Amino acid sequence: MSVIRSDEIISILKEEIANFDMVTRALETGSVISVGDGIATVYGIDHAMYGEIVIFENGVKGMVQDIRRNEIGCIIFGKDTGICEGTKVTRTKKQAGISVSEACLGRVVNALGAPIDGKGELPQGEYLPMEQEAPGIVERKSVSVPMETGILAIDSMFPIGRGQRELIIGDRQTGKTSIATDTILNQKGKDMICIYVAIGQKASTVAKIVSTFTQNDAMDYTIVVTSMASDPASLQYIAPYAGTAIAEYFMKKGKDVLIVYDDLSKHAVAYRALSLLLERSPGREAYPGDVFYLHSRLLERSSRLNEAAGGGSITALPIIETQDGDVSAYIPTNVISITDGQIFLESDLFNSGMRPAVNVGLSVSRVGGAAQTKAMKKAAGSIRIDLAQYREMEVFTQFSSDLDAATKEQLQYGKGLMELLKQPLGCPLSLSEQVLTLVLATRKVMLDVPVSKVKQFQKDILEYFKTEQSPIVQEIEETKTLTDQLMDEILEAARAYKSRFR
Ligand code: ATP
Ligand code: MG
């Protein structure tokens, strides 16, 4: 009678495990069965992992996105013209990744990390996976440091903190990109690294943005990751993940990073195209079932790490384009529910000259309040409610002619506020400028200034504070608080300024 000994079984199993790799190595190359629309079906690579990079005979890379019993589906990162039936495909056993180093700063790269600005090759850096798990709760810290956009309408009412994710949402041509680029310009000298990810944009638009950054010396701390409208959907799909991998490299080093995804609507469309070509079943609006996960796993990687984990942060400004102001469509609702607030831009406001066209009623910042400076919080006071009241009152007083004095005053005050919130492109306001403007507005110092002259008055009085009342400006910038005494000093100075012109 033969006896089966357990150590014998173990040794056989061990041998099997040790030889396992030998078997896979023999099956490392496969060949293309069919190719088209940026998708290749490959036979013969049985052990390929989901998300693994494969290389085609002509050097083009692909990523495994679909694993079936006998074949795998790959998306192709480049032109599929050189690939045909029978083309050899090799496994790399590596997940999709991007090489990142400090040298990336100031460069324009494509979704695979290759420079496209004609300034030469980038040195080999750290190879970081594009898809990375988001930091866990233990590694995180709550948001408490402001990320100043320099835009009064946002910093005063919808403050954004470092590590927050704030959505910029609005119809086409409502100034979404402008808010993001102005925010990047405002980060000069604030120890922030900015990454602008262009997804499915026209090459001319990206070139314009890069030239704006260059002209304003913003490229020193900025990296632009692009996937143009002419690029294959596969590259548009991975671009935001590549951008986030770069951001994580800097976050792990303790830096604060700002990343803009412009825009995630086009990202979702690119992913829908890929999914349909891979024959996944379509769901609502023909998007695949995992389109929520597409954006949630991306945005969840923006966070603020605690000191033990490195202490850096990633602040995300994703952009979504709506159709006719419809925020309840599939992709907008998804991203609204993932982010920590949204800035809603409205076409009607934009066309009536209110720029930036922030809709005060529909915008919100869910965590930024904790990050707002004390000075700003005190100065802004109830401006949001005042504006809401004004807009309501404006609607039902437009037909009546005889209004009582109190109503007239409130209308005048509201009009002045709206005027003050207008801000041209590329003119960020510093903390002290914003605080002074808000104090003067909410204390009704500007009430007797005609609405058409409010902007000029604001400019002049800020200049006056800068040149003749510099201790006040300095105190705000340094202490970042607004004491009652300082408030009185500001009002005193403003009165002195006004009496000069009387
Ligand atoms: P798209 O849907 O095409 O991406 P968008 O919503 O990103 O458009 P922008 O490209 O930022 O909008 O802006 C549209 C136009 O409005 C631009 O020509 C820009 O110069 C102008 N614009 C945006 N913001 C302002 C502003 N605050 N003041 C003056 N002009 C502005
Ligand atoms: Mg845009």
Side-chain angles (χ1 to χ4, degrees):
M1 193 175 87
S2 68
V3 179
I4 301 173
R5 296 227 312 273
S6 65
D7 52 342
E8 232 169 67
I9 297 176
I10 290 171
S11 77
I12 291 170
L13 282 176
K14 272 189 181 155
E15 203 178 316
E16 283 286 315
I17 292 167
N19 291 335
F20 183 69
D21 205 35
M22 305 283 284
V23 185
T24 61
R25 209 164 288 154
L27 295 170
E28 254 186 347
T29 18
S31 51
V32 173
I33 303 175
S34 65
V35 63
D37 301 316
I39 306 279
T41 310
V42 180
Y43 175 82
I45 315 184
D46 291 348
H47 297 271
M49 299 172 293
Y50 181 82
E52 181 177 334
I53 293 292
V54 292
I55 299 183
F56 294 91
E57 219 174 320
N58 63 348
V60 172
K61 284 181 182 158
M63 181 156 83
V64 179
Q65 279 291 296
D66 192 26
I67 299 174
R68 287 176 227 143
R69 188 178 286 273
N70 293 319
E71 55 192 33
I72 57 166
C74 302
I75 56 175
I76 302 169
F77 293 145
K79 291 206 172 64
D80 60 10
T81 40
I83 299 167
C84 55
E85 194 183 328
T87 303
K88 287 271 168 292
V89 188
T90 323
R91 271 186 75 185
T92 61
K93 296 188 181 173
K94 268 205 278 190
Q95 293 284 313
I98 184 168
S99 151
V100 197
S101 65
E102 299 279 338
C104 290
L105 281 173
R107 302 298 298 266
V108 183
V109 298
N110 69 9
L112 296 173
I116 53 166
D117 50 4
K119 290 187 194 158
E121 285 293 306
L122 277 167
Q124 188 69 37
E126 204 175 316
Y127 188 83
L128 292 174
M130 287 190 190
E131 299 268 2
Q132 181 86 282
E133 215 172 293
I137 291 176
V138 180
E139 292 168 77
R140 290 179 188 238
K141 201 170 143 188
S142 58
V143 172
S144 62
V145 181
M147 195 283 297
E148 284 145 351
T149 62
I151 298 166
L152 182 62
I154 295 175
D155 286 349
S156 63
M157 291 180 282
F158 316 105
I160 303 171
R162 295 189 177 192
Q164 189 180 340
R165 302 155 300 170
E166 183 83 2
L167 171 67
I168 301 172
I169 185 168
D171 282 0
R172 52 173 293 277
Q173 290 289 305
T174 48
K176 302 182 296 297
T177 305
S178 303
I179 287 194
T181 49
D182 269 4
T183 305
I184 291 180
L185 297 187
N186 191 45
Q187 302 311 315
K188 193 190 286 176
K190 291 198 165 74
D191 198 19
M192 192 82 144
I193 285 170
C194 302
I195 299 171
Y196 178 83
V197 186
I199 308 158
Q201 304 264 353
K202 281 181 293 189
S204 60
T205 315
V206 179
K208 211 170 113 196
I209 289 169
V210 172
S211 85
T212 311
F213 288 161
T214 314
Q215 276 162 19
N216 292 284
D217 301 323
M219 274 318 267
D220 301 343
Y221 55 87
T222 305
I223 302 163
V224 178
V225 182
T226 69
S227 55
M228 317 285 189
S230 57
D231 284 337
S234 53
L235 288 177
Q236 296 182 29
Y237 160 58
I238 58 161
Y241 301 104
T244 314
I246 300 177
E248 277 165 351
Y249 171 84
F250 290 104
M251 173 172 73
K252 296 262 160 65
K253 297 204 156 172
K255 297 260 171 61
D256 289 322
V257 186
L258 168 69
I259 185 162
V260 175
Y261 305 106
D262 195 2
D263 62 78
L264 290 186
S265 309
K266 295 199 183 76
H267 183 230
V269 168
Y271 186 60
R272 173 170 68 184
L274 287 177
S275 297
L276 292 175
L277 288 167
L278 287 166
E279 292 170 15
R280 293 189 188 147
S281 43
R284 183 175 162 191
E285 290 178 25
Y287 288 106
D290 62 344
V291 76
F292 185 89
Y293 181 55
L294 176 78
H295 291 147
S296 65
R297 76 171 188 270
L298 172 72
L299 292 168
E300 204 58 21
R301 286 160 73 181
S302 299
S303 62
R304 181 160 181 238
L305 298 181
N306 60 23
E307 272 70 33
S313 70
I314 299 180
T315 313
L317 293 180
I319 296 178
I320 287 279
E321 184 182 304
T322 52
Q323 308 293 332
D324 204 15
D326 182 13
V327 285
S328 59
Y330 192 22
I331 303 300
T333 39
N334 276 356
V335 184
I336 284 175
S337 71
I338 296 166
T339 49
D340 307 308
Q342 72 272 355
I343 291 165
F344 184 70
L345 304 174
E346 211 176 9
S347 300
D348 290 348
L349 282 174
F350 188 85
N351 295 334
S352 69
M354 180 70 203
R355 296 173 190 185
V358 179
N359 178 317
V360 178
L362 289 178
S363 302
V364 66
S365 172
R366 296 193 191 98
V367 297
Q372 207 173 21
T373 55
K374 286 206 180 76
M376 186 63 109
K377 203 172 259 175
K378 190 160 178 190
S382 61
I383 162 171
R384 217 185 135 174
I385 297 165
D386 293 349
L387 274 174
Q389 272 174 353
Y390 160 71
R391 299 233 6 216
E392 202 168 287
M393 197 182 281
E394 190 193 21
V395 173
F396 69 80
T397 52
Q398 56 188 345
F399 299 116
S400 47
S401 49
D402 52 332
L403 299 168
D404 59 287
T407 313
K408 267 188 193 152
E409 190 189 293
Q410 195 155 6
L411 278 176
Q412 173 79 4
Y413 169 61
K415 268 191 201 132
L417 269 186
M418 292 291 276
E419 199 63 27
L420 280 175
L421 292 181
K422 287 184 188 169
Q423 204 168 327
L425 285 178
C427 299
L429 293 174
S430 67
L431 174 68
S432 58
E433 286 169 334
Q434 296 194 2
V435 168
L436 287 170
T437 306
L438 288 170
V439 168
L440 298 177
T442 51
R443 293 301 152 115
K444 312 204 170 159
V445 174
M446 301 190 190
L447 207 53
D448 50 358
V449 180
V451 172
S452 58
K453 299 224 169 77
V454 162
K455 265 332 251 189
Q456 189 58 39
F457 179 83
Q458 179 198 16
K459 206 167 150 219
D460 294 343
I461 200 164
L462 287 180
E463 191 56 37
Y464 157 77
F465 270 99
K466 212 189 279 172
T467 50
E468 293 177 41
Q469 301 286 345
S470 53
I472 295 184
V473 174
Q474 245 167 29
E475 192 174 335
I476 299 174
E477 289 289 349
E478 275 161 25
T479 62
K480 299 194 195 304
T481 49
L482 188 65
T483 56
D484 289 336
Q485 193 200 345
L486 188 60
M487 189 101 99
D488 291 340
E489 274 173 40
I490 294 171
L491 295 174
E492 187 72 28
R495 253 176 243 124
Y497 174 80
K498 279 179 84 178
S499 63
R500 218 190 268 178
F501 291 95
R502 222 163 248 141

